[in-house]
Amino acid sequence: MVQTLPSEFYSDFLSNAAKARKPSPIRGLYPLEARPGMISLLAGKPNSATFPLTSVQIKARSPTDPAQELTTELAGAALAEGLQYGPTAGLPSLCEWIYGLQAREHGRGKDEGWRVSVGSGSQDVIHKAIFALVNPGDAVLVESPVYAGILPTFESLNCEFVVVPTDSQGIDSSALRTTLENWPASKPKPKVLYTVPYGGNPTGMTASKERRQEVLALAREHNFLILEDDPYYYLYFGSAPRPPSYFSLELEQPEAGRVIRFDSLSKILSSGIRIGFACGPDAIMTAIDMHTAVANLQTSSLTQAIAHALLESWGYDNFKTHTLTVSQFYKGKRDVFERLMKKYLDGLAQWDTPEAGMFFWFKLLLKAPGTEGAHEEDSESLIRTKALEKGVLALPGTVFLPDGGKTAYVRAAFSLLDESDVEEAIKRLREAILEARGV
């Protein structure tokens, strides 16, 4: 039997805004409509007889035979559910499918003190989770380099960034321990740690099992929650078995409930479908749902229904087959990119080979090793001027540093380009580096 933290445990973690938010007077009563014999005069739902759609047909490649096209039809009760307002936390059919997925992938059962909240992409539920947990001015633990897209949310709350360094094995747990053990006694410790543990954006790193276990132990010792942002979980293509997630590993702890996990369908079904989901303690999911109820009511019922119809028609085994095909696709893209980097940037850049995700994080050697000032190199000027002038776009590493400091690193995405474009881009980057060196 899994021991879980009690719901009252989270009262000290919820932000003042989350505590002050009141349930929607309408959506809070939706569950009562399902009572047998209940006649509802509650919601201003449009009458479905006025909706022109009678069916939606979905054609998709077979997960087991890409040459074969499979057809799934959304009609009847399933379509009616998709065309009407739905529950704030997500359509029950999709939520049930997610529970089954998390049981298979992470060994987590529904009776372990957690539940699902579906969002309009994982960014949506992450943003709401941060607002549910962080007060203005709070100190927050963030890995560095960090996903640049999350920084504005923290910055809007005027958070104090407590930087936790990373390497090819993930978060430097020793550095994290040192930071927490030397925390000023007069100052509240951070309540949350944000991390992207597989195919990290921008570094491409995948955290080892040992590092994750050490971070989980520190979370319990120093009483913080882990925001496990995991859009690249299914894009793992390393040679070793994929390390277990934080969500899974917390079952090894004396009690579960310190991990809030965020998944996304963007990288494996469609980025335009805008479906992600959070899994975590009920108290925090409720705070997210209450935010959703007043901000955007719910995630689109129709996209949820379409996604569920496709996933249900596949089944879990075929879904797994599809994700393995996707990960191998990106492995091929990575291999092409690295082969051409070795061809044109050998001696001009350094990098670790990513084992998941869509990115290379590489250090430009703008001065020859041993040259005065070589350790103080900064990629920003070259990437924003010389590289841009030569017709190649990449992101300077400084945008991924919470403190905005200088760095010689650059992030390059390898997901879209074909081999000829990759080669031309890297050749142009080579020319820019050589010009910077004065060669």
Side-chain angles (χ1 to χ4, degrees), residues 129-151:
I130 290 171
F131 271 81
L133 296 168
V134 178
N135 286 314
D138 276 0
V140 292
L141 297 164
V142 292
E143 64 185 9
S144 182
V146 66
Y147 167 48
I150 207 64
L151 291 177

Side-chain angles (χ1 to χ4, degrees), residues 12-34:
D12 290 337
F13 286 89
L14 292 175
S15 67
N16 295 334
K19 291 176 180 177
R21 186 171 281 122
K22 293 179 172 56
S24 165
I26 298 174
R27 287 190 156 257
L29 296 176
Y30 270 9
L32 298 180
E33 291 186 317

Side-chain angles (χ1 to χ4, degrees), residues 1 55 82 135 138 154 181 224 277 280 393 434:
M1 181 68 179
S55 70
N135 286 314
D138 276 0
F154 285 120
E181 289 182 348
F224 62 83
F277 47 95
L393 276 174
L434 291 174

Side-chain angles (χ1 to χ4, degrees), residues 239-392:
S239 55
R242 178 169 51 200
S245 66
Y246 281 104
F247 192 51
S248 174
L249 285 171
E250 76 165 338
L251 293 175
E252 299 176 355
Q253 295 290 304
E255 67 280 310
R258 294 186 183 275
V259 176
I260 302 100
R261 177 175 174 80
F262 304 93
D263 282 278
S264 173
L265 297 183
S266 295
K267 312 300 186 292
I268 47 178
L269 286 190
S270 159
S271 52
I273 207 166
R274 304 311 304 139
I275 294 179
F277 47 95
C279 297
D282 181 72
I284 297 171
M285 297 302 101
T286 297
I288 291 173
D289 291 344
M290 289 174 66
H291 188 158
T292 296
V294 299
N296 57 306
L297 301 184
Q298 61 169 100
T299 300
S300 164
S301 294
L302 185 56
T303 57
Q304 290 184 75
I306 289 171
H308 177 256
L310 178 62
L311 295 168
E312 186 70 15
S313 70
W314 281 357
Y316 292 114
D317 288 342
N318 281 341
F319 172 75
K320 184 73 170 179
T321 299
H322 171 70
T323 62
L324 291 173
T325 300
V326 172
S327 68
Q328 288 306 299
F329 173 88
Y330 287 112
K331 179 181 183 296
K333 290 286 190 181
R334 178 207 64 180
D335 291 346
V336 167
F337 202 95
E338 184 164 38
R339 173 167 53 81
L340 292 169
M341 287 181 72
K342 288 177 178 178
K343 180 177 180 179
Y344 293 106
L345 297 184
D346 184 39
L348 300 177
Q350 295 175 339
W351 64 88
D352 290 315
T353 304
E355 295 188 326
M358 301 176 168
F359 307 107
F360 266 92
W361 177 249
F362 53 99
K363 181 181 181 180
L364 302 185
L365 305 179
L366 300 177
K367 296 183 180 179
T371 304
E372 182 180 354
H375 65 287
E376 299 173 351
E377 297 165 4
D378 181 15
S379 67
E380 184 169 23
S381 176
L382 180 140
I383 292 299
R384 294 197 188 279
T385 56
K386 292 183 183 298
L388 186 61
E389 290 166 3
K390 293 182 180 298
V392 61

Side-chain angles (χ1 to χ4, degrees), residues 42-242:
L42 176 67
K45 296 179 180 179
N47 193 302
S48 60
T50 67
F51 299 159
L53 293 178
T54 57
S55 70
V56 174
Q57 198 173 78
I58 307 159
K59 293 188 175 183
R61 289 188 295 271
S62 166
T64 56
D65 180 9
Q68 182 184 3
E69 191 174 71
L70 302 178
T71 301
T72 302
E73 185 176 27
L74 189 64
L79 178 62
E81 184 181 47
L83 293 178
Q84 188 57 271
Y85 291 124
T88 303
L91 295 188
S93 55
L94 180 60
C95 289
E96 284 301 314
W97 186 89
I98 292 168
Y99 282 121
L101 178 69
Q102 303 303 58
R104 290 170 66 97
E105 288 292 331
H106 306 285
R108 297 301 301 266
K110 287 177 65 175
D111 59 347
E112 295 171 0
W114 65 278
R115 69 172 179 85
V116 173
S117 179
V118 177
S120 300
S122 58
Q123 182 94 9
D124 175 41
V125 278
I126 294 168
H127 177 88
K128 291 168 181 172
I130 290 171
F131 271 81
L133 296 168
V134 178
N135 286 314
D138 276 0
V140 292
L141 297 164
V142 292
E143 64 185 9
S144 182
V146 66
Y147 167 48
I150 207 64
L151 291 177
T153 297
F154 285 120
E155 288 167 346
S156 70
L157 291 166
N158 297 309
C159 290
E160 175 192 348
F161 290 117
V162 181
V163 171
V164 184
T166 60
D167 58 26
S168 61
Q169 298 300 303
I171 283 176
D172 185 339
S173 51
S174 296
L176 177 57
R177 176 175 291 279
T178 298
T179 295
L180 294 170
E181 289 182 348
N182 291 281
W183 195 263
S186 60
K187 184 178 179 181
K189 285 183 177 179
K191 296 188 292 184
V192 298
L193 164 68
Y194 174 82
T195 181
V196 181
Y198 292 94
N201 181 358
T203 64
M205 69 83 185
T206 293
S208 68
K209 178 181 178 180
E210 293 72 24
R211 291 283 184 88
R212 296 172 196 242
Q213 289 171 321
E214 291 164 2
V215 171
L216 278 165
L218 288 170
R220 186 168 188 269
E221 183 179 344
H222 294 276
N223 202 29
F224 62 83
L225 305 179
I226 298 171
L227 303 181
E228 182 180 29
D229 183 8
D230 216 352
Y232 307 108
Y233 174 83
Y234 292 104
L235 270 59
Y236 178 78
F237 39 73
S239 55
R242 178 169 51 200

